[in-house]
Amino acid sequence: MNKKVLTALAVAGIATAAMATDVSADTYTVQTGDTLSSIATNHNTTIDRIISVNKITNANLIFAGQQVELDDQAVAPVAQQTPVQAAPVQQAAPVQAAQVAPVQQAAPVQQKPVQAQPVSTAAASGSTYDQFIAAGGNAAMWQSIVMPESGGNVNASNGQYHGLGQTNQSWGHGSVASQTAGMLNYANSRYGSVDNAISFRAANGWW
């Protein structure tokens, strides 16, 4: 690496200018007013390196015209690094809790009233039952009164009580239609309704 050779002549008390001469590749001639600090700064080295290379015993005492050997490894000025600006930390957007839809209560299931089915017997599936229904009787009355009393036999008799509803009244004889009409009249007149008659029969075993 080429280096400039700076030379200057200085005589104590008399200043004379002269052309710069090549002394050596790493030699500098001290000029009036120079200090080791200024020489080190101008040549990118340090005072300690100059003192060490030239074996100077008194760093405050140098002379104009003195040859100073410069260190081969000049100290390059340290470039200040541009401070890295840290990117501002962005706060994560708050996580919004998923909105839970309110649980809708299921509409109550309306249970249909259970209708009593006619007892599957020979009498129920035969013409006697059909005639009983056609005459105004209903399935509940047939199941709860007729079947327990007579088994659906229009001619049933135990010597005292007769017919579908087992009675000692005149309506206990005759056709299915006449017996059905007699039973309906008896239920309404004595118990107030067929349903009340059915309830009484279920509770007491007779009507």
Side-chain angles (χ1 to χ4, degrees):
M1 178 175 63
N2 294 327
K3 295 183 179 180
K4 277 185 180 180
V5 177
L6 301 177
T7 59
L9 297 176
V11 178
I14 301 174
T16 60
M19 297 299 294
T21 60
D22 291 338
V23 177
S24 68
D26 54 358
T27 302
Y28 172 72
T29 302
V30 178
Q31 298 182 26
T32 302
D34 279 345
T35 63
L36 290 183
S37 176
S38 64
I39 295 172
T41 300
N42 292 333
H43 296 280
N44 295 330
T45 186
T46 64
I47 296 174
D48 291 337
R49 287 183 181 276
I50 295 174
I51 292 174
S52 175
V53 172
N54 294 274
K55 296 181 174 54
I56 297 174
T57 58
N58 187 349
N60 297 317
L61 183 62
I62 58 175
F63 304 97
Q66 180 180 347
Q67 301 294 318
V68 177
E69 297 292 332
L70 300 175
D71 187 9
D72 290 340
Q73 297 178 350
V75 178
V78 178
Q80 292 185 352
Q81 296 181 350
T82 303
V84 178
Q85 294 183 354
V89 177
Q90 296 182 353
Q91 294 183 352
V95 178
Q96 294 182 353
Q99 295 181 355
V100 180
V103 177
Q104 296 182 352
Q105 295 183 351
V109 178
Q110 295 182 354
Q111 295 182 352
K112 294 182 179 179
V114 179
Q115 295 181 353
Q117 299 296 326
V119 177
S120 178
T121 63
S125 61
S127 61
T128 302
Y129 174 77
D130 294 337
Q131 293 177 45
F132 176 82
I133 297 298
N138 58 40
M141 190 175 189
W142 176 272
Q143 180 177 349
S144 301
I145 296 179
V146 174
M147 292 305 295
E149 291 290 343
S150 65
N153 184 358
V154 69
N155 296 316
S157 176
N158 64 359
Q160 180 179 1
Y161 300 105
H162 307 277
L164 294 175
Q166 289 295 288
T167 178
N168 57 7
Q169 303 294 320
S170 60
W171 53 264
H173 301 273
S175 66
V176 175
S178 63
Q179 290 190 37
T180 302
M183 291 179 64
L184 293 173
N185 290 331
Y186 177 76
N188 288 319
S189 61
R190 179 167 183 174
Y191 300 105
S193 68
V194 173
D195 290 339
N196 291 340
I198 292 173
S199 299
F200 184 89
R201 176 66 177 76
N204 297 278
W206 60 274
W207 72 310

